[in-house]
Amino acid sequence: MKIICATLNAKYIHTNLAIRYLKAYAQPEYDVELAEYTIKDPVMNIVTDLIRKKPAVIGFSCYIWNIEETIKVIKMIKKIDPSITIMVGGPEVSYDVQAWMETVTDFDFIIIGEGEETFKTLLGELEGAKRFEAVPGIAYRMQEQIHINHPLHKIDLRELPSPYRFAEDIPHLSKRITYIETSRGCPFSCQFCLSSIEVGVRYFDREQIKEDIRYLMKNGAKTLKFVDRTFNISRSYAMDMFRFLIDEHLPGTVFQFEITADIMRPEVIEFLNKEAPPGLFRFEIGVQSTNEYTNELVQRKQNFDKLARTVTLVKEGGKIDQHLDLIAGLPEEDYHSFRKTFNDVFAFRPEELQLGFLKMLRGTGLRIRANEYQYIYSDHSPYEILGNRVLSFDDIIRIKQVEDVLEKYWNDHRMDYTIEYLVGTVFPSPFDFFQEFGSYWESQGWSKIGHQLEDLFKRLDEFLQSYSIKDKEIVNDLMKYDYLAKHKYKPRKPWWEPTLTKNERSGFYQALIKNPSHLGDLELDEKDLFKHTILEPISFNIDHYIHHGTIKREPHMLFVYFNPKSNIPTLISMDYHSAPLSN
């Protein structure tokens, strides 16, 4: 009996942990083949590949991001070969099971919830007596009737075999994200989240997890992401794992965690700031909303003052990048309240701020109580909201405009100094900048086309001209600095028109050759100066702004050397009235 476990990942760099658990648990009785695709792959290509493998059984791992494409694949497979048994499992199909079985008649079985033991038991019955009534945790069809057997118990996670040690995965470990699970469940009850449905937290064997991480690093894994819903719920456990990862990590490895910031003790952060190498850890923190009433309605316990303390201390440590999440559309969070939430969180200046929109996930308390808040939402995954009684569809569209430019201009860090000046000095608040720019962006039709780096600078410049801001000269100079600082090589044609004539540039270079002390430690000959540098007059002392955050107006010359050996630019700001410029 040929058995395949398949899934459609969101991106190639992702891997699916669930099907690896199924394969590991099914051994040695069943040799399961894994097949991973992406939601961007043509359906025909996926179906062709699966059919050519000549399976008797295919199990699909289903999520909100892949269910629509997965169903297309399944329907085509069933048309080609109806004898292939189709199983589906995963969070997207574990709830509303009756409706799924009625809607998608090509599903032969749904595995409900935790699937490892159920999957193996079901394989045994398919191969044997077919007593499906004896398999807990499945939905199936018998004589055109739908039957649902509810799960009986949770698995002892300490007894699960490792899903990380398949030889076929080794060639891909360095190129893809490796997901690590050290616990299941969540101690909190947030009504918009599927994790709230499973009460309590269960842990895997800690020493086995450490052995698996050693194995993965030894075989090339570079990015390891922990999928635990609250990695730091146990302080002693988190400290032990942090210590282990600091002591035994290999160079170039990055570990990502979802943490609950308001329960993290200051001494833990102090330990990380002192002991962790820069860039080793990355924290994802779900803030979602700073509206206390909203959090109360969704049963989300959050102490914002303690959360702020944690985020600030981590930021000050300079060792760990932070990814903070917001959700627009939670109960009683209107447009103006969300503006405050956004500004509250942006004030931390996280390395990444993710602006998401509420999704009414099957099985969650908020979906069950949707009528109470007059939610309207899409019937198809990902079930994103279209409005509620305090947030109109027009408001949602406006916030989506914020999301678009936030991703391009903050999260990608293409012009940090420019954005910092705009949100802190020019516009009333960060949200107002991103909203005004986002609305202009959409009005120009730019959301429908692609963008090169130069385009992003030109479009911000065009928006600021239309907005008639004060201090446009300062903003332009900051944009030039950000643009040049991000280049490894001397750009052939910057996004602005050259300020200096050829003769002015040549005169400056000749003066520098006579007075090389202005270049500090740089030792450049005439060829280096002309071939690998850029000069740009600016209206203020940019070094003073970078170090002190205030504008000191005095003409300067920005000198940028693009080192062809290191690909790291050197930027020097020189007083316009000092030698060699005065010569």
Side-chain angles (χ1 to χ4, degrees), residues 558-573:
L558 182 61
F559 172 91
V560 188
Y561 169 57
F562 298 91
N563 190 328
K565 294 181 180 179
S566 68
N567 294 334
I568 299 175
T570 301
L571 290 84
I572 301 174
S573 182

Side-chain angles (χ1 to χ4, degrees), residues 39-55:
I39 55 175
K40 299 292 186 182
D41 293 337
V43 169
M44 178 61 77
N45 291 6
I46 298 172
V47 171
T48 299
D49 188 60
L50 288 171
I51 290 292
R52 283 177 173 172
K53 296 177 186 293
K54 301 191 180 304

Side-chain angles (χ1 to χ4, degrees), residues 298-561:
V298 295
Q299 299 179 33
R300 180 173 178 79
K301 296 178 181 179
Q302 180 167 272
N303 184 318
F304 187 69
D305 289 339
K306 290 183 177 180
L307 182 149
R309 178 191 65 191
T310 293
V311 173
T312 301
L313 289 174
V314 171
K315 182 82 172 178
E316 290 172 349
K319 298 284 192 72
I320 300 170
D321 282 356
Q322 297 179 97
H323 168 125
L324 272 54
D325 287 332
L326 300 178
I327 297 179
L330 291 170
E332 304 306 314
E333 177 102 279
D334 63 14
Y335 179 84
H336 299 289
S337 169
F338 185 77
R339 174 182 181 272
K340 179 182 182 302
T341 282
F342 183 99
N343 287 329
D344 287 343
V345 177
F346 195 87
F348 300 131
R349 300 301 192 266
E351 283 71 28
E352 187 171 354
L353 179 58
Q354 185 72 41
L355 199 173
F357 293 81
L358 180 64
K359 296 169 179 58
M360 305 296 277
L361 303 179
R362 295 174 184 269
T364 59
L366 207 50
R367 178 160 172 151
I368 293 168
R369 296 162 54 204
N371 290 338
E372 183 179 337
Y373 302 105
Q374 298 174 26
Y375 275 109
I376 53 174
Y377 57 93
S378 172
D379 293 332
H380 300 283
S381 64
Y383 315 113
E384 193 165 288
I385 66 161
L386 306 172
N388 62 29
R389 70 183 179 195
V390 301
L391 194 72
S392 68
F393 181 69
D394 286 342
D395 289 336
I396 291 173
I397 295 305
R398 291 173 69 196
I399 297 173
K400 281 186 177 291
Q401 294 167 352
V402 172
E403 178 195 25
D404 192 13
V405 293
L406 176 72
E407 192 65 33
K408 292 180 175 68
Y409 284 86
W410 179 257
N411 290 341
D412 284 348
H413 295 283
R414 290 182 167 108
M415 48 186 90
D416 288 349
Y417 289 112
T418 304
I419 301 303
E420 182 60 45
Y421 186 79
L422 289 170
V423 302
T425 304
V426 178
F427 285 81
S429 79
F431 184 87
D432 293 299
F433 163 69
F434 289 109
Q435 181 67 88
E436 293 287 347
F437 187 22
S439 298
Y440 185 84
W441 184 279
E442 185 173 281
S443 73
Q444 299 302 304
W446 294 337
S447 57
K448 301 173 184 177
I449 57 178
H451 317 281
Q452 300 295 328
L453 180 65
E454 287 78 6
D455 298 328
L456 295 173
F457 282 85
K458 288 178 180 178
R459 282 163 190 165
L460 177 59
D461 183 58
E462 181 180 323
F463 161 66
L464 294 174
Q465 290 184 43
S466 74
Y467 200 78
S468 300
I469 67 165
K470 296 187 304 179
D471 301 326
K472 181 67 165 58
E473 187 179 29
I474 291 173
V475 176
N476 272 0
D477 290 340
L478 286 167
M479 290 172 68
K480 293 173 183 178
Y481 181 89
D482 279 327
Y483 177 84
L484 295 172
K486 289 293 189 290
H487 276 75
K488 295 180 179 179
Y489 311 100
K490 179 180 175 180
R492 296 178 63 184
K493 190 178 186 303
W495 61 270
W496 65 91
E497 292 299 321
T499 308
L500 298 176
T501 67
K502 186 175 181 180
N503 286 339
E504 287 172 330
R505 288 179 67 243
S506 180
F508 185 90
Y509 286 142
Q510 294 303 326
L512 269 181
I513 292 169
K514 295 176 183 178
N515 300 275
S517 61
H518 289 277
L519 296 179
D521 295 332
L522 284 178
E523 296 182 2
L524 305 179
D525 58 24
E526 187 173 356
K527 180 180 178 182
D528 287 329
L529 285 171
F530 279 88
K531 186 175 183 180
H532 298 298
T533 69
I534 281 183
L535 300 172
E536 186 62 32
I538 54 177
S539 59
F540 63 98
N541 184 338
I542 201 157
D543 285 340
H544 184 272
Y545 175 73
I546 290 171
H547 292 103
H548 302 285
T550 56
I551 296 295
K552 188 176 180 180
R553 284 185 176 273
E554 51 188 22
H556 268 60
M557 181 68 78
L558 182 61
F559 172 91
V560 188
Y561 169 57

Side-chain angles (χ1 to χ4, degrees), residues 110-123:
I110 294 178
I111 294 178
I112 304 167
E114 210 163 36
E116 291 88 352
E117 186 176 352
T118 299
F119 176 68
K120 188 171 186 176
T121 304
L122 180 54
L123 291 178

